[in-house]
Amino acid sequence: MRPNASEMSWEESSGADAFLSPDHRGGHPPVRESPAVTAWGVVLCVSGTAITAENAVVVTAILATPSLRAPVFLLLASLGLADLLAGVALVARFLFCLAPSDWSELVTSGLLVTSLSASLCSLMGVALDRYLSLSHALTYGSGRSRRRAAFLLLLVWVGACAMGAGPAMGWHCLDEPASCSVAPPLTRTYLSLLCGGFLAAVAVTLQLYAGICRVARRHAHAIATQRHFLPSGQSYAGKYGSGRGFSRLVLVLGVFVGCWMPFSLWGLLGDASSPPLYTYATLTPAAFSSLLNPLLYSLRNKDIRKVLLQACCPRRHAAQMHCPEDV
């Protein structure tokens, strides 16, 4: 998936592709020029590598630890895998476009669509998990809940792969440039449906977090009325009912909306004649969210942090295990 470059070459805008040579017109077969590596291409490759490495650590930590099998960890693993694929797609986009071809453009565009769709749906699943863990605290974490989470993730990935297969299955504008969207080779109809789905997922996620706040405040009020006090960190009610927890929630939502809303709106409003710079400015935050998601979701979880610290400092962890802690 790349921004439209109708009035300037892709080589100038990204360093990752090149336009057809103007000398090849009429019935002669087009020949792609060899692109030069530019600053944008280097940034694309470096950021994709960082995203891949960061999320690979998170996914490996979750899958290699048998104790991390609760629904929330399944969802975080799905989120990490989706963001890992986004990083791979960015690197592949840079490498393939050094020797550009139609098939590589379609494959990398489809992989980006798949990874970003799965990432957004996984974020929605994380919000749903947090809501259910608060509103159904007695049954949360049961085997039935894990099966529901696994089934939900199956639907997420089947849907994401189906959407990502669109360009390779013929839903592209390589043969009809007039039908291109702000991100060729995706057609405007295809991108409009995709961005419409993104906006719907954003709206559902915001509603879930609003429900989390309502339930948390109701629980906190009931606890205060009965004059019971919960230990810190033992309940989502305490977590989201406090000022600190609410500020963290605002931060998560602010990053979420800031990353996904710009491109979702621009994909609906823009067309093939729109300036490519606007597409870069809106698509970059959506890709950058894959770098922020592990910090905002996975690495904030104390169980995942414990696993990572144990892997990084096994001797220190073993010493702590043999030393009694004050209770």
Side-chain angles (χ1 to χ4, degrees):
M1 184 165 52
R2 62 176 174 85
N4 178 39
S6 58
E7 297 182 358
M8 69 175 183
S9 72
W10 176 253
E11 178 181 352
E12 294 176 351
S13 60
S14 72
D17 202 352
F19 260 90
L20 301 182
S21 172
D23 295 332
H24 298 275
R25 295 185 176 90
H28 298 284
V31 178
R32 292 179 181 262
E33 298 177 353
S34 178
V37 176
T38 64
W40 173 259
V42 173
V43 170
L44 190 74
C45 186
V46 171
S47 61
T49 302
I51 290 171
T52 302
E54 183 183 24
N55 286 282
V57 170
V58 171
V59 173
T60 302
I62 295 176
L63 297 182
T65 307
S67 60
L68 302 182
R69 292 295 179 267
V72 63
F73 297 116
L74 296 178
L75 293 166
L76 291 177
S78 173
L79 177 60
L81 179 59
D83 292 333
L84 186 153
L85 290 179
V88 171
L90 292 176
V91 176
R93 181 71 191 175
F94 171 72
L95 296 178
F96 284 154
C97 288
L98 292 178
S101 63
D102 289 347
W103 74 266
S104 63
E105 189 172 351
L106 294 175
V107 169
T108 53
S109 298
L111 185 57
L112 271 175
V113 170
T114 300
S115 59
L116 293 179
S117 300
S119 178
L120 182 55
C121 291
S122 296
L123 287 173
M124 184 171 61
V126 170
L128 177 62
D129 172 78
R130 291 178 173 178
Y131 177 77
L132 293 177
S133 66
L134 181 58
S135 59
H136 300 81
L138 296 179
T139 58
Y140 173 76
S142 64
R144 185 177 180 182
S145 298
R146 286 191 289 271
R147 288 192 295 271
R148 283 200 300 262
F151 180 71
L152 174 63
L153 291 179
L154 178 63
L155 292 180
V156 166
W157 281 97
V158 169
C161 290
M163 289 187 289
M169 297 299 292
W171 206 346
H172 58 76
C173 62
L174 293 177
D175 299 326
E176 299 180 6
S179 65
C180 284
S181 65
V182 298
L186 307 183
T187 65
R188 180 162 188 180
T189 301
Y190 178 82
L191 187 61
S192 296
L193 292 175
L194 191 65
C195 291
F198 285 174
L199 289 175
V202 170
V204 171
T205 303
L206 292 178
Q207 286 294 323
L208 288 171
Y209 276 112
I212 289 172
C213 290
R214 288 194 298 267
V215 175
R217 290 182 176 179
R218 186 166 62 247
H219 287 186
H221 178 72
I223 293 168
T225 301
Q226 298 173 9
R227 295 184 178 181
H228 290 298
F229 298 92
L230 292 181
S232 176
Q234 294 296 317
S235 169
Y236 274 107
K239 181 177 179 180
Y240 292 106
S242 64
R244 184 179 179 183
F246 184 76
S247 63
R248 289 180 179 177
L249 181 59
V250 170
L251 174 62
V252 169
L253 291 179
V255 171
F256 175 74
V257 174
C259 287
W260 286 100
M261 284 292 285
F263 181 72
S264 298
L265 293 175
W266 178 241
L268 293 173
L269 300 176
D271 55 31
S273 62
S274 302
L277 180 61
Y278 295 164
T279 304
Y280 288 118
T282 56
L283 185 58
T284 299
F288 191 62
S289 67
S290 296
L291 190 64
L292 295 177
N293 286 339
L295 301 177
L296 293 175
Y297 296 91
S298 298
L299 298 181
R300 286 180 56 195
N301 185 283
K302 63 180 182 180
D303 295 315
I304 296 179
R305 287 202 307 269
K306 182 179 178 181
V307 170
L308 293 177
L309 290 175
Q310 181 180 358
C312 295
C313 306
R315 295 183 179 179
R316 181 179 178 182
H317 180 77
Q320 291 178 351
M321 291 293 292
H322 289 86
C323 296
E325 298 182 357
D326 295 334
V327 293

